[in-house]
């Protein structure tokens, strides 16, 4: 177990290093400096700025100094808003984004699994078709369209929910709904197909042959096995929720990380882009790692110290 | 002998998108207290479907019991409610399936899987159920049951798993045990051990066993009576001696000739040519006609009547008709 | 009982005596295969046709492709001509889907957008297919150290957050059609490579492949004749699902301002431009591109599901 975790940790560090390096060189491959666009700055000011941001040093020096700052978790100042450091933005935006992400994840998991299980048990019945129609619709509508429609219907036309900012539970309803629908649909479809597969397994027949009630068969024997494949996609799902937050935070004017990220893309604020990308990647990679560990705990057949077991 | 189960004219069909498959077409047999009845036949002959229909475990839809009855203790299992049937499953009639590797839930300990059946049926407290489960593991020959109680299925070998499956089936002391190819997935040496275990358990608990198999070697070792199934029908049945030494149906003879035997040295194995008929549209006459060496005009035209040779031995074959005997001897 | 006596065998009077003549039979009849055998693809096709939802998807996609080319041609208006007098007109007999804020005909633009969106989706799927099959095929077929090394690289790439990489590359290269396709495929092929490798590993150990190996068949031929047909199912399903996710990703990039740039338009960029329009009541500007994205996603998804069921040999009965 410990060896497996160590191995995974090392792989995580390598992936992260890869991302940091990739990000760094991609950003520096852009022709010209970020300062000679838009604002007409004098040559002296520009040189000053470049030296402040280390842009006048050779590339490898910049690379190492950047690596150093990443390791010490200091992403430096923003170029477009010099009064703010990237760290400021992250520490201000992260708690909000985290809250939105977690609430969404929980809503998506609970509703998705419920929908999927019900659909599987009523296979080919009305409820199955209804649930799967909802699920396919959820996958089919881009979240920015859904968010806009929700605002139009439930905030403008019929003002039930407030929009913009992130201050009360009522403010959370629409963004969460807009963000959770897609992942919920994915979970529901996966749960359904996996549940249906599990229900045809021999051990389910054994359980029936014991005279167990359908409820016990579903909850004791089927559900846990059916959820294993669902667990494996949680990592990628977290990723899609995360990128979804860019959209949702911008539309609902939620002061999270995603808003800063989108703004930094629009203004080409490279330190912010780099910092947030690295930060997001780190979160995602940690999520994937946690999912792997969770999978190992849920499935007794996986021996975590034997990597080939999966 | 006391009859514990009576199957009468059972018909089971499966509706697939290609049409109705008539998997079991009028099967009747009795099962007596403490005996082992073997149902033999090649794959697809309906033997597994028959056994699963008794337990009402055929996947439904697409499968359904079209007609016939399964009488157990005055109840027709084909007609009682699902809830009543659940009380019988595992408690009165138990079932063991072919593949021990997949018959156990991989994510539950074997202890939990053993105990849940007991708790379901007699509502014993956990401790008592556990004690009973441990006794059962001991009986089926799991060494150190106390220790292994908390193990997961993948931590056992195939033979051990099959013992656990047997323990699970017997834990509520059922009257009937249906074993569907219980040794097919196992090594030959393990097979013999499991068969011995069946005999031992039968001696100790007087359970009646229905053994579904295609392996005549297995049948010879444990069966008291044998029913030979072909294309959804029992074509011949009798006690072990009768079937092995005086087989009447050409199919039964063919089956016996296709098994290697040490006592008949020098004789070649004779395979049965061809394959069973399509059960989407089973033939009107005897389904074995196309593969039978003694086929006559009548065989295609009408299904043979049942001929009783002894109290237990009966066969469905036109060769039993006197006129066929004349024809056969004339042909010689 | 009488019945038990051997000499009392039942003679059925209703059966005529002359039926008891030996049957005239030929051996082939016994050996004849009783069920008509269909090829794998015929069988899969038959099953797909029976799946109403999947067929609905397929038919919609065919119609969509036709309209993508026919639509702009049958429309009386050009998609790029700006007519400030005709800003934000609601759908009418003249402008079937209304006009946008620059007075352009939404009907025409939506089908031109279909060309771009479908092109992005199909290009991404085809490139993923080409790279993924080659890479995964070689890794799976060679096995051993080669496989190990190649899969390490895949693992690292797989760990990268897909959309973040896409965003980064789009930022660096500057938005545009080529950038989008490049960004979507640079890590997108990894999923396909993993699937192909898994399939190849599985099929490689099938007996018939072993058999052709022992006959000394060349590697290339084995891959073409044995491995590919047997791995085609999951590959086709994966491709069916790549197209909509690429279209979706393009829409997402459009939202970030990194999508298709004017004068070209995709559904994503049209929907994004129209987000604010919905609050001013010009619903048609968002409705039509969003509807087409959703219908396309829906169609590809149900078709993919249908194909998955149809191509799964396990489900063959």
């Amino acid at each position: 177990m410990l060896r497996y975790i160590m191995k995974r940790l090392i792989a995580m560090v390598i992936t992260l290093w890869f991302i940091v390096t990739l990000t760094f060189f991609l950003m520096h491959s852009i022709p010209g400096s970020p300062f000679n666009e838009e604002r007409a700055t004098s040559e002296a000011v520009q040189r000053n700025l470049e030296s402040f941001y280390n842009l006048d040093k050779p590339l490898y020096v910049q690379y190492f100094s950047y690596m150093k700052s990443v390791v010490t978790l200091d992403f430096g100042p923003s170029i477009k808003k010099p009064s703010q450091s990237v760290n400021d933005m992250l520490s201000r935006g992260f708690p909000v984004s985290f809250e939105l992400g977690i609430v969404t994840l929980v809503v998506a998991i609970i509703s998705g699994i419920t929908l999927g299980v019900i659909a599987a048990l009523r296979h080919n019945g009305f409820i199955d078709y209804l649930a799967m129609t909802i699920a396919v619709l959820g996958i089919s509508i881009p979240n920015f369209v859904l968010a806009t429609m929700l605002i139009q219907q439930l905030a403008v036309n019929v003002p039930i929910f407030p929009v913009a900012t992130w201050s009360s539970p009522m403010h959370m309803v629409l963004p969460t709904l807009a963000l959770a629908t897609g992942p919920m649909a994915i979970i529901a479809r996966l749960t359904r197909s996996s549940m249906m597969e599990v229900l045809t397994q021999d051990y389910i027949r054994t359980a029936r042959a014991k005279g167990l009630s359908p409820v016990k068969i579903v909850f004791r024997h089927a559900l846990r096995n059916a959820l294993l494949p669902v667990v494996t996609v949680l990592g990628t799902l977290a990723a899609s929720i995360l990128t979804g937050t860019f959209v949702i935070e911008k539309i609902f004017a939620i002061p999270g990380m995603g808003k800063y990220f989108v703004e930094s893309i629009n203004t080409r604020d490279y330190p912010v882009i780099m910092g947030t990308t690295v930060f997001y990647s780190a979160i995602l990679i940690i999520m994937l790692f946690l999912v792997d560990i969770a999978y190992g705990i849920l499935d007794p057949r996986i021996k975590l110290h034997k990597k080939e077991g999966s | 002998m006391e009859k514990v189960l009576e199957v009468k004219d059972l018909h089971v069909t499966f509706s697939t998108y290609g049409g109705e498959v008539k998997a079991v077409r009028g099967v009747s047999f009795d099962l007596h207290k403490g005996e082992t009845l073997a149902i033999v036949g090649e794959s697809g002959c309906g033997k597994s479907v028959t056994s699963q229909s008794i337990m009402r475990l055929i996947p439904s839809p697409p499968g359904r019991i079209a007609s016939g009855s399964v009488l157990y203790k005055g109840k027709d299992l084909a007609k009682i409610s699902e809830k009543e049937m659940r009380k019988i499953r595992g408690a009165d009639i138990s079932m063991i399936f072919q593949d021990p590797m997949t018959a156990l839930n991989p994510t539950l300990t074997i202890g939990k899987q053993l105990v849940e059946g007991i708790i379901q049926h007699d509502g014993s407290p956990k401790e008592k159920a556990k004690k009973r489960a441990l006794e059962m593991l001991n009986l089926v020959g799991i060494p150190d049951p106390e220790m292994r109680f908390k193990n997961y299925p993948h931590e056992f070998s195939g033979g051990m798993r099959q013992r656990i499956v047997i323990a699970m089936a017997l834990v509520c002391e059922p009257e009937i045990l249906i074993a569907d190819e219980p040794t097919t997935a196992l090594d030959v040496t393990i097979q013999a051990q499991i068969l011995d275990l069946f005999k031992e358990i039968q001696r100790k608990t007087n359970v009646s066993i229905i053994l579904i198999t295609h392996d005549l070697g297995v049948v010879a070792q444990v069966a008291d009576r044998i029913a030979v199934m072909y294309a959804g029908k029992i074509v011949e049945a009798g006690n072990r001696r009768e079937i092995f030494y005086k087989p009447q149906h050409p199919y039964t003879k063919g089956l016996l000739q296709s098994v290697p035997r040490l006592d008949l040295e020098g004789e070649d194995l004779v395979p049965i040519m061809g394959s069973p008929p399509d059960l989407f549209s089973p033939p009107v006459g005897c389904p074995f006609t196309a593969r039978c060496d003694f086929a006559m005009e009548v065989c295609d035209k009408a299904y043979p009547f049942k001929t009783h040779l002894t109290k237990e031995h009966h066969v469905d074959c036109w060769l039993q008709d006197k006129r066929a005997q004349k024809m056969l001897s004339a042909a010689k | 009982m009488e019945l038990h006596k051997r000499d009392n065998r039942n003679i059925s009077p209703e059966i005529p005596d002359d039926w008891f003549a030996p049957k005239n039979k030929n051996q082939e009849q016994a050996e004849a295969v009783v069920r008509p055998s269909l090829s794998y693809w015929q069988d899969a096709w038959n099953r797909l046709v029976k799946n109403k939802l999947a067929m609905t998807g397929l038919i919609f996609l065919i119609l969509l492709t036709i309209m993508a080319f026919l639509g702009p041609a049958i429309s009386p208006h050009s998609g790029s001509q700006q007519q400030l007098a005709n800003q934000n007109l609601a759908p009418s007999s003249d402008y079937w889907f209304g006009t946008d804020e620059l007075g352009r005909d939404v009907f025409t633009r939506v089908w031109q957008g279909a060309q771009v969106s479908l092109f992005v989706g199909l290009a991404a799927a085809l490139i993923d297919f080409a790279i993924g099959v080659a890479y995964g095929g070689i890794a799976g077929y060679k096995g051993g150290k080669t496989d190990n090394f190649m899969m390490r690289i895949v693992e690292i790439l797989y760990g990268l957050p897909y959309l973040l990489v896409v965003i980064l590359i789009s930022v660096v290269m500057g938005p545009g059609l080529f950038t989008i396709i490049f960004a979507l495929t640079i890590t997108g092929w990894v999923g396909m490579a993993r699937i192909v490798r898994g399939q190849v590993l599985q099929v490689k150990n099938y007996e018939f492949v072993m058999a052709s190996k022992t006959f000394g068949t060349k590697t290339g031929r084995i891959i073409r004749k044995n491995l590919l047909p047997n791995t085609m199912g999951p590959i086709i399903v994966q491709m069916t699902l790549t197209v909509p996710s690429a279209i979706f990703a393009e829409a997402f990039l459009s939202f970030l301002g990194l999508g298709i740039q004017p004068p070209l338009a995709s559904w994503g960029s049209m929907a994004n431009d129209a987000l604010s329009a919905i609050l001013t009541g010009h619903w048609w500007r968002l409705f039509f591109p969003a509807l087409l994205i959703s219908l396309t996603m829906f169609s590809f998804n149900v078709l993919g599901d249908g194909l998955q069921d149809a191509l799964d040999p396990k489900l063959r009965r």
Side-chain angles (χ1 to χ4, degrees), chain B residues 17 273-275 289-290 292 295-298 300-301 305 307-311 318 320-321 323 325 327, chain C residues 3-4 7 9-12 14-17 19-25 27 30-31 34-35 43 50:
Chain B
Y17 78 82
M273 302 304 284
S275 49
T289 314
C292 183
M296 297 173 292
E297 296 289 332
V298 66
D300 266 340
K301 290 177 174 143
F305 293 95
T307 308
H308 286 268
L309 302 165
T310 70
K311 192 167 169 241
W318 282 120
Q320 301 301 319
D321 193 293
R323 290 168 291 185
Q325 293 302 115
M327 185 278 294
Chain C
L3 279 175
H4 303 157
D7 58 352
R9 286 182 179 170
N10 52 349
I11 290 178
S12 338
E14 66 269 34
I15 304 283
D17 287 3
W19 282 14
F20 285 87
K23 193 187 147 197
N24 201 0
K25 67 176 199 168
Q27 199 56 44
E31 286 292 328
V34 278
R35 218 181 351 153
D43 202 42
K50 288 227 160 70

Side-chain angles (χ1 to χ4, degrees), chain B residues 23-271:
Chain B
V24 174
R25 307 185 292 144
V27 160
S28 307
F29 62 85
D30 300 336
L31 181 68
H32 302 127
K33 183 90 200 146
E35 76 164 349
T36 300
L37 169 71
I39 302 181
V40 295
E42 51 199 311
S43 34
C45 71
K47 54 193 195 299
S48 287
V49 175
T50 306
S51 65
Q52 286 180 29
S53 303
I54 296 171
M55 288 285 269
R56 290 250 302 267
L57 284 177
I58 45 170
S60 163
R64 70 191 173 89
I65 297 177
S67 65
S69 56
V70 180
L71 298 177
Y72 172 78
K73 283 189 180 163
K75 282 183 207 160
D76 183 356
L77 302 189
K79 300 207 170 59
I80 61 173
S81 73
E82 174 67 22
K83 208 173 163 193
E84 274 181 283
M85 193 64 221
R86 278 210 297 275
K87 285 189 193 137
I88 288 173
R89 284 187 203 131
D92 296 296
I93 308 178
S94 276
M95 192 152 182
I96 295 168
F97 299 101
Q98 177 170 352
D99 191 351
M101 305 314 259
T102 55
L104 293 166
N105 187 337
T107 56
L108 285 179
T109 62
I110 60 140
K112 277 188 184 153
Q113 296 188 57
L114 272 161
V115 165
E116 66 178 354
I118 309 173
I119 294 174
Q120 174 77 30
H121 288 296
D122 60 8
S124 323
K126 261 199 179 136
E127 276 313 301
K128 204 177 144 206
K130 184 178 175 183
K131 209 175 139 234
R132 171 84 193 120
L134 288 173
E135 279 168 26
M136 217 51 235
L137 284 177
N138 206 25
L139 177 72
V140 298
I142 300 285
D144 212 354
E146 189 85 42
M147 270 258 298
R148 316 253 14 207
F149 201 72
K150 284 213 161 69
N151 282 161
Y152 288 94
H154 69 273
E155 294 167 284
F156 293 88
S157 67
M160 281 296 154
R161 279 194 223 185
Q162 194 61 305
R163 283 170 194 267
I164 293 164
V165 171
I166 294 170
M168 239 162 64
L170 293 172
V171 82
C172 291
E173 296 171 340
E175 221 172 330
I176 301 169
L177 176 66
I178 302 173
D180 188 353
E181 304 266 8
T183 57
T184 310
L186 303 173
D187 288 347
V188 184
T189 45
I190 312 284
Q191 272 188 21
Q193 291 172 17
I194 296 290
L195 290 178
D196 283 342
L197 178 63
F198 273 119
K199 279 195 259 185
E200 188 191 329
I201 285 166
Q202 198 165 42
R203 209 172 49 240
K204 283 182 183 157
T205 63
N206 206 26
V207 63
S208 309
I209 298 177
I210 298 177
L211 180 73
I212 313 288
T213 182
H214 67 274
D215 186 342
L216 287 169
V218 169
V219 174
Q221 281 181 63
V222 293
D224 298 310
R225 284 194 306 130
I226 298 163
V228 180
M229 267 190 92
Y230 186 78
K233 285 174 174 289
I234 292 182
V235 294
E236 184 168 8
N239 64 35
R240 176 168 50 172
R241 182 164 293 276
E242 287 160 347
I243 296 292
F244 274 92
Y245 295 106
K246 289 179 195 155
Q248 292 300 314
H249 200 287
Y251 179 62
T252 315
K253 289 179 188 164
L255 273 185
L256 289 166
Q257 276 173 339
S258 54
V259 178
R261 283 170 66 172
L262 291 175
D263 55 335
L264 296 174
E265 216 176 311
E267 279 190 31
D268 287 337
L269 288 184
V270 186

Side-chain angles (χ1 to χ4, degrees), chain A residues 202 205-206 210 220-221 225, chain B residues 52 102-103 105 113 116 121:
Chain A
D202 283 358
R205 199 172 49 176
T206 310
K210 279 185 211 168
R220 269 179 78 96
H221 289 272
N225 291 291
Chain B
Q52 286 180 29
T102 55
N105 187 337
Q113 296 188 57
E116 66 178 354
H121 288 296

Side-chain angles (χ1 to χ4, degrees), chain C residues 104-250:
Chain C
R104 292 173 297 192
D105 181 35
V106 174
F107 180 83
T108 314
R109 282 175 65 75
V110 119
W111 299 119
Q112 287 168 343
Q115 291 176 13
V116 174
S117 288
L118 285 179
F119 179 74
V120 168
L122 290 175
L126 285 176
I127 295 171
D128 280 3
F129 169 77
I131 305 177
V133 167
Y135 195 94
I138 292 170
Y141 192 78
K142 290 277 178 195
K145 273 190 186 144
T146 321
D147 178 35
N148 219 324
F149 176 73
M150 287 174 88
M151 281 302 122
R152 278 285 141 78
I153 295 176
V154 163
E155 255 170 57
I156 291 178
L157 290 180
Y158 198 73
L160 298 178
Y162 173 67
L163 275 177
L164 281 177
V165 174
V166 173
I167 292 171
L168 271 185
I169 290 170
S170 303
V171 167
V172 172
M173 290 176 59
L177 188 59
F178 174 76
T179 303
I180 287 172
I181 294 172
F182 179 78
L184 290 177
T185 46
I186 194 153
T187 58
W189 59 272
V190 170
M192 180 66 91
R194 280 166 62 119
I195 288 175
V196 173
R197 171 184 172 265
Q199 285 292 313
V200 169
L201 279 183
Q202 208 182 356
V203 173
K204 198 166 74 166
N205 294 323
Y206 285 168
E207 311 229 334
F208 66 87
V209 177
M210 297 274 206
S212 21
K213 245 185 178 170
T214 27
F215 290 142
T217 318
K218 286 214 178 79
T219 305
R221 196 183 154 77
I222 292 182
I223 291 181
R224 257 183 304 121
K225 293 281 168 188
N226 291 333
L227 291 181
L228 278 187
N230 281 286
T231 52
M232 238 21 224
I235 292 174
I236 289 176
V237 173
Q238 170 76 8
M239 280 181 74
T240 325
L241 299 176
T242 305
V243 179
S245 76
I247 294 176
F248 232 47
E250 190 277 322

Side-chain angles (χ1 to χ4, degrees), chain A residues 105 183 186-188 190-191 227-240 287-288 291-292 295, chain C residues 158:
Chain A
L105 197 59
I186 293 172
I187 294 179
L190 194 60
T191 307
L227 289 186
L228 287 175
V230 179
V231 173
T232 57
V233 301
L234 282 186
T236 25
L237 227 53
S240 85
M287 279 296 293
L288 285 176
V291 164
D292 263 17
Y295 193 84
Chain C
Y158 198 73

